[in-house]
Amino acid sequence: MKILVINCGSSSLKYQLIDMDNESVVAKGLCERIGIEGSMLTHKAAGKEDYVVEKAMPTHVTAIEMVMEALQDATYGVIKDTSEIAAVGHRVLHAGTVYSDSIIVNEDVKRVIKECFDLGPLHNPANLMGIEACEKAMPGTPNIAVWDTGFGMKMPEKAYLYAIPYEYFEKYSLRRYGFHGTSHMFVSGEALKFANLDPGKGKVIVCHLGNGSSISASIGGKCVDTSMGLTPLEGLIMGTRSGDVDAAVVQYICNKENKDVNEVLNILNKKSGVLGISGVSSDFRDLGKAADEGNERAKTALDAFVYRVAKYIGAYAAALNGVDAIAFTAGVGENDMKARKDICSYLGYLGVEIDDEANNCRGKRQMISTPDSKVKVMVLPTNEELAIARETLRLVQ
Ligand code: ADP
């Protein structure tokens, strides 16, 4: 059975066609610059040459039509007919407090996605366009929504409430939601298996460290806490996002720099994080290089990043009352052995011991702790598309 996974951004659309009989990627691709001049589709199919189409894509509907053509193309395609696609799984950012479990899209689901435009102003409108485009291109084929907030929605009230007047939660559902949900769901589930833990009781901390970074604590795959909040701004220090700051910082910058709240929020989202501290780059490879060349602020940015992750691991080990496994994932987590080593150097009190030789790895599933380590530490590449495809299969079967 083949499942198409769609991830729509405001001007992009990523897709993967996955054969669920062996969970292999049959084809994948990317539509870029949707609604902007110079749009193009890049399509890659297993065992075939890459196929690039440069053609105007005024909307996501045109983008989906082009994806369908590429998938059925005589030379570069992989299916004869769209009827070979059993279902489409969509990554959808936000369902507010209405849904947490993945769901087959109907009119009510679309209404909820629309009602949450405020909560996900860049993503939810694009996600809805993607769903509607698929409905048009493949009438009768089920569309499934897999929520990026789904994993965090399972955290308990004491973890999701902000300590502000309760009426704001009641009136606006203003609470912590958490993001990167499909990644945390996938990696925590796989970590339980890889570390041979009790599937219902294993205590796992997942460090999703990329350009956007977040961390989660779960028991038996169920979220206990996660670091992002109402928006992806809260928590760890990221490429360009500040993570946790005293809210009074916003007022202070407004007053001193004569800016309004929106401008300062833009600074906290786009000009802060390791980029803000270092003034060098948001990219960890650039920072590592600059630090090696003696750039002190790049070094400070990396130190602060590592320290914040270690601090959260400590907090989550307390929230879980112990931890069985720690998994590193995403661009930095999967590739940056120095960051992993530096983070773990704070964790001796938990009985964490890293095997330097095993830690010398990139982008592959590997245990990096010693056999004697009290906590199993691993690199576990995330696979959000596969997580979405598995959810889709579960719902249509
Ligand atoms: P996004 O949040 O955009 O999905 P990714 O998970 O792709 O981000 O992570 C991107 C980050 O991973 C970049 O900062 C990049 O520098 C970092 N990265 C990728 N490869 C390496 C590497 N070999 N060493 C250090 N950092 C790396």
Side-chain angles (χ1 to χ4, degrees):
M1 183 190 282
K2 292 191 186 74
I3 285 178
L4 181 64
V5 176
I6 300 278
N7 183 355
C8 281
S10 50
S11 66
S12 69
L13 185 158
K14 285 189 227 157
Y15 63 94
Q16 278 195 9
L17 186 68
I18 301 181
D19 184 345
M20 295 310 285
D21 296 340
N22 53 11
E23 295 192 333
S24 65
V25 178
V26 182
K28 64 179 177 180
L30 167 69
C31 301
E32 293 167 277
R33 302 180 64 85
I34 300 169
I36 311 171
E37 212 176 303
S39 30
M40 69 175 193
L41 172 145
T42 311
H43 174 86
K44 297 169 194 266
K48 302 191 181 200
E49 270 180 40
D50 290 1
Y51 177 44
V52 178
V53 189
E54 290 181 33
K55 194 174 133 187
M57 282 182 237
T59 65
H60 288 73
V61 174
T62 336
I64 287 285
E65 284 166 4
M66 284 173 63
V67 171
M68 290 305 144
E69 280 167 22
L71 287 170
Q72 295 171 84
D73 186 85
T75 312
Y76 303 99
V78 288
I79 54 173
K80 287 208 174 66
D81 195 87
T82 54
S83 65
E84 287 181 47
I85 299 171
V88 187
H90 297 261
R91 179 183 190 184
V92 186
L93 186 78
H94 228 300
T97 54
V98 184
Y99 298 118
S100 53
D101 292 327
S102 311
I103 188 166
I104 298 179
V105 174
N106 57 25
E107 287 310 308
D108 193 58
V109 173
K110 286 196 274 180
R111 181 185 56 79
V112 170
I113 297 173
K114 217 174 199 162
E115 279 175 10
C116 293
F117 278 7
D118 270 1
L119 287 166
L122 292 180
H123 293 86
N124 268 37
N127 300 152
L128 185 60
M129 278 192 277
I131 288 171
E132 290 179 338
C134 286
E135 286 176 336
K136 206 163 162 216
M138 290 171 279
T141 304
N143 288 284
I144 278 73
V146 181
W147 314 101
D148 208 40
T149 48
F151 185 82
M153 277 298 290
K154 304 273 163 122
M155 68 181 139
E157 194 179 32
K158 63 185 175 189
Y160 71 63
L161 274 185
Y162 286 115
I164 58 176
Y166 195 75
E167 62 181 281
Y168 298 130
F169 170 63
E170 290 177 311
K171 275 202 275 191
Y172 309 120
S173 304
L174 203 164
R175 51 163 278 177
R176 307 183 58 251
Y177 287 94
F179 296 86
H180 291 146
T182 44
S183 178
H184 287 288
M185 172 177 73
F186 179 82
V187 178
S188 59
E190 293 295 307
L192 286 171
K193 288 187 246 167
F194 192 49
N196 239 334
L197 299 174
D198 182 329
K201 293 194 189 139
K203 297 174 177 179
V204 176
I205 295 177
V206 173
C207 306
H208 177 114
L209 311 178
N211 187 29
S213 293
S214 65
I215 177 165
S216 69
S218 61
I219 298 182
K222 183 168 179 269
C223 181
V224 167
D225 208 337
T226 186
S227 60
M228 285 176 164
L230 175 72
T231 75
L233 182 57
E234 191 178 337
L236 301 178
I237 296 175
M238 311 181 208
T240 64
R241 296 189 199 119
S242 62
D244 299 333
V245 289
D246 181 342
V249 163
V250 176
Q251 184 195 37
Y252 197 86
I253 301 177
C254 282
N255 291 342
K256 290 283 183 193
E257 297 269 320
N258 200 18
K259 293 190 188 301
D260 67 23
V261 171
N262 292 324
E263 288 173 294
V264 178
L265 260 289
N266 196 42
I267 291 169
L268 294 183
N269 270 302
K270 302 206 172 129
K271 297 185 177 162
S272 299
V274 288
L275 168 69
I277 297 178
S278 69
V280 172
S281 172
S282 62
D283 190 295
F284 281 76
R285 283 164 295 199
D286 297 343
L287 286 170
K289 196 163 165 275
D292 288 346
E293 287 165 4
N295 184 312
E296 284 303 319
R297 264 169 58 194
K299 196 174 166 309
T300 306
L302 291 171
D303 285 348
F305 169 80
V306 160
Y307 174 69
R308 180 80 57 91
V309 177
K311 210 162 85 163
Y312 262 92
I313 292 175
Y316 284 179
L320 294 171
N321 193 10
V323 52
D324 298 313
I326 299 172
F328 288 99
T329 197
V332 177
E334 291 168 27
N335 294 298
D336 192 335
M337 62 193 85
K338 181 168 186 316
R340 291 193 298 256
K341 169 94 178 155
D342 290 349
I343 291 164
C344 290
S345 72
Y346 282 95
L347 308 178
Y349 71 99
L350 288 173
V352 166
E353 274 181 41
I354 296 301
D355 175 339
D356 287 337
E357 210 169 300
N359 186 38
N360 189 356
C361 68
R362 269 203 189 141
K364 62 170 185 174
R365 191 176 283 218
Q366 180 144 309
M367 204 58 80
I368 60 168
S369 49
T370 64
D372 291 337
S373 177
K374 289 213 181 78
V375 180
K376 290 183 172 157
V377 185
M378 66 197 80
V379 175
L380 216 156
T382 191
N383 192 338
E384 294 175 80
E385 289 77 15
L386 181 57
I388 293 169
R390 284 180 182 170
E391 284 290 278
T392 303
L393 179 66
R394 184 174 68 76
L395 282 168
V396 294
Q397 260 181 348

